Amino acid sequence: MKRLVFIAVLLLSVSTGIWAQIDTLPDGLGAKISSPEGLRDVIESKDPRFVIIDVRQPADYTAGHIPTAINIPGGLTAELKSPPAKDAYLVLYCLGGMRSPAAGEKMQADGYKYVHVWGGISKWPYPRAT
């Protein structure tokens, strides 16, 4: 019986997207940018603290991404020539919100203090950059 309850909770957590969500942005900024409108406002403000990161593969990024986003597949920064500053406000997304939490955990392990897992580009209703 305990095993069935555990499996049910695990499946519910994964399907509702509450498992492994990361938001370490200060001052409630994560809540402000969690909607497409909020993220668009950040992009339009050109706030230099924010770095939007597409963690999908390069071909997916090239096919269309959120404006101003840079591509860091899987959130792996070790081989980047110019990785984001460790104190930047990172906003991560993938396709549907399932891979970006793992990328956020990797980036936190690499020393990034401010990480917000936004979710997936599938919820972005505005034009995509190419």
Side-chain angles (χ1 to χ4, degrees):
M1 182 66 170
K2 289 181 183 179
R3 180 183 286 170
L4 290 175
V5 171
F6 173 76
I7 292 171
V9 169
L10 182 63
L11 289 174
L12 181 62
S13 297
V14 171
S15 67
T16 59
I18 59 173
W19 186 30
Q21 292 300 318
I22 299 170
D23 179 15
T24 60
L25 296 182
D27 304 322
L29 288 172
K32 293 177 184 175
I33 67 166
S34 63
S35 69
E37 297 79 16
L39 185 57
R40 183 189 61 195
D41 290 347
V42 165
I43 292 167
E44 290 175 352
S45 76
K46 298 181 180 170
D47 187 330
R49 299 175 297 174
F50 287 89
V51 178
I52 316 300
I53 300 174
D54 186 322
V55 300
R56 299 176 299 155
Q57 293 303 308
D60 298 323
Y61 172 82
T62 302
H65 55 272
I66 293 175
T68 74
I70 62 172
N71 187 220
I72 303 179
L76 301 174
T77 60
E79 295 185 18
L80 293 178
K81 291 178 184 175
S82 299
K86 295 288 184 179
D87 63 346
Y89 294 177
L90 307 182
V91 180
L92 282 58
Y93 72 90
C94 57
L95 176 63
M98 298 301 290
R99 289 176 286 173
S100 47
E105 289 176 4
K106 288 176 189 171
M107 295 188 92
Q108 284 184 308
D110 285 345
Y112 288 93
K113 184 175 180 182
Y114 305 113
V115 179
H116 176 78
V117 173
W118 189 78
I121 194 171
S122 60
K123 73 177 190 177
W124 183 254
Y126 307 110
R128 297 177 185 185
T130 55

